[in-house]
Amino acid sequence: MSGKISLLLWRQLAAAGPQATRSFSSLAVRTLSGGVLHNATGVPGCAFNGGGGEPVRVPGLWTRVVPARAGSTVPGVVGEEAEVTVSAGSNGKDEKAVASYWGVPPEKITKDDGTEWKWHCFRPWETYRADLSIDLEKHHAPTTFLDKVAFWTVKAMRLPTDIFFQRRYGCRAMMLETVAAVPGMVGGMLLHCKSLRRFEQSGGWIKALLEEAENERMHLMTFMEVAQPKWYERALVITVQGVFFNAYFLMYLISPKLAHRVVGYLEEEAIHSYTEFLKELDNGNIKNVPAPAIALDYWRLPKGSTLRDVVMVVRADEAHHRDVNHFASDIHYQGRELRETPAPLDYH
């Protein structure tokens, strides 16, 4: 089957002329049957992927739909998609797959049981089991002026949230995660730029903060499966994120110690919110639905896990983020820079 597909692909390219044939000589397809890689001439060992787009299944073929780059050397496809018609076989229909000149190999990842890994937003080696034994009661008592500013800033931020969402903890979690995913990205970005300007390493803190942002984003992806936000809630998210991103950006530039302390207290409030979420689930006020599939894979939860299990692991993540940010603030309070202390990488 793969040989026939390769021949058809080659004929399509040959029709465009010798230049197209040479340009697409690295074109490859992956057969679904045995996972063997073939190039356009049927020779094993070559693969392709345009670097984006959604995967498309063609009988006997694994590929992706991607736009060809502008300036391609293939006649007739400059700035356009390069389409190759592939025979579908028994159904009598033709399917179109887009071929990339650049020959970037696709990844075909499987789980331990041999089933296909379906998530493109994270990979198996980025998953983990949450540490539920972490102390949820730890609290940084505000003593200095900046600590008190951070503490009461977060308390002030909580008030309108309580009024707007009340006890709708699914939507509340969605809003919380859209805000909580901002500080790690802002802090990591600014540390990245600082490292470039000063020609110095970061002690791993760039990666640690970006890991935090990614983890918070995965919380959001999970709760989006549970709580479907209404249009005005989406509009609120856009507004809050726009204000908070710029405010936190300026805060981090002025005082990193204050910025990290704010996040530490924000995570303490998150722990409180998820604890109330659990109480509502236990009291039956919120239906304990099955855990979303994305949560099962991301946290390596056992089959049959429920929303309650998801809230438990998310709350544990927030406790770890609390520790990291209070720790980062303490480093600054001691007159040191983050790069002087190894970052707590993979500390979920």
Side-chain angles (χ1 to χ4, degrees):
M1 180 65 183
S2 61
K4 292 180 180 179
I5 292 175
S6 298
L7 182 58
L8 287 169
L9 291 172
W10 186 252
R11 286 176 177 172
Q12 291 289 328
L13 297 173
Q19 181 62 35
T21 302
R22 287 194 298 271
S23 299
F24 280 85
S25 62
S26 61
L27 174 65
V29 296
R30 182 191 295 267
T31 62
L32 293 175
S33 58
V36 180
L37 299 179
H38 296 267
N39 63 17
T41 58
V43 180
C46 188
F48 87 97
N49 170 20
E54 294 298 321
V56 158
R57 287 190 180 277
V58 181
L61 182 66
W62 171 267
T63 184
R64 292 172 186 256
V65 176
V66 293
R69 296 196 182 193
S72 168
T73 57
V74 182
V77 297
V78 177
E80 301 176 357
E81 291 186 341
E83 294 184 343
V84 179
T85 301
V86 182
S87 175
S90 58
N91 60 10
K93 296 181 180 179
D94 287 341
E95 300 288 345
K96 287 187 176 181
V98 179
S100 171
Y101 165 75
W102 304 107
V104 180
E107 289 183 318
K108 183 172 174 62
I109 305 172
T110 59
K111 298 182 182 180
D112 293 337
D113 59 5
T115 58
E116 182 182 339
W117 182 264
K118 65 178 182 178
W119 309 108
H120 297 298
C121 52
F122 65 100
R123 295 293 189 255
W125 51 87
E126 296 171 326
T127 65
Y128 63 97
R129 288 185 175 88
D131 176 17
L132 300 179
S133 65
I134 189 169
D135 185 358
L136 300 172
E137 303 299 326
K138 289 169 66 177
H139 167 66
H140 183 278
T143 54
T144 68
F145 173 74
L146 285 182
D147 282 357
K148 293 176 181 178
V149 170
F151 181 80
W152 290 109
T153 297
V154 172
K155 288 296 184 182
M157 291 169 60
R158 176 182 168 180
L159 182 61
T161 304
D162 288 342
I163 295 173
F164 185 82
F165 290 106
Q166 298 182 358
R167 307 197 72 79
R168 293 182 296 134
Y169 284 100
C171 294
R172 187 190 186 101
M174 176 204 67
M175 170 61 74
L176 177 65
E177 300 302 343
T178 60
V179 172
V182 168
M185 179 59 67
V186 171
M189 175 185 68
L190 291 176
L191 287 181
H192 174 76
C193 292
K194 182 178 179 180
S195 176
L196 297 178
R197 290 195 309 272
R198 296 190 177 184
F199 308 99
E200 61 188 19
Q201 51 85 21
S202 70
W205 279 95
I206 296 173
K207 184 176 181 180
L209 293 177
L210 294 181
E211 279 182 353
E212 176 186 311
E214 177 66 9
N215 183 247
E216 297 284 10
R217 192 182 66 84
M218 290 305 301
H219 293 176
L220 175 63
M221 296 299 102
T222 298
F223 283 114
M224 284 293 292
E225 298 291 327
V226 178
Q228 299 297 325
K230 298 178 175 61
W231 69 267
Y232 57 85
E233 291 172 331
R234 290 177 178 269
L236 180 63
V237 165
I238 294 173
T239 303
V240 171
Q241 188 184 87
V243 173
F244 184 73
F245 181 95
N246 289 285
Y248 189 81
F249 179 85
L250 293 174
M251 184 189 301
Y252 205 99
L253 286 176
I254 297 169
S255 176
K257 69 173 74 172
L258 173 62
H260 282 292
R261 193 68 82 200
V262 164
V263 179
Y265 287 129
L266 187 65
E267 300 295 359
E268 290 184 18
E269 291 297 331
I271 294 170
H272 172 77
S273 293
Y274 285 118
T275 299
E276 293 299 311
F277 197 160
L278 288 171
K279 289 179 181 178
E280 293 294 299
L281 286 166
D282 292 339
N283 293 335
N285 297 327
I286 298 177
K287 187 177 180 180
N288 191 23
V289 297
I294 192 172
L296 295 179
D297 285 337
Y298 184 67
W299 283 284
R300 303 177 191 171
L301 295 173
K303 291 182 179 179
S305 295
T306 63
L307 176 59
R308 190 182 193 282
D309 299 311
V310 174
V311 175
M312 290 282 288
V313 295
V314 170
R315 184 177 64 170
D317 286 349
E318 306 294 7
H320 285 86
H321 299 160
R322 169 204 64 193
D323 294 351
V324 170
N325 282 277
H326 280 317
F327 175 52
S329 185
D330 288 346
I331 292 173
H332 283 294
Y333 265 105
Q334 294 169 19
R336 304 170 65 185
E337 294 192 19
L338 293 182
R339 65 184 180 85
E340 298 175 30
T341 304
L345 295 174
D346 299 318
Y347 183 69
H348 294 296

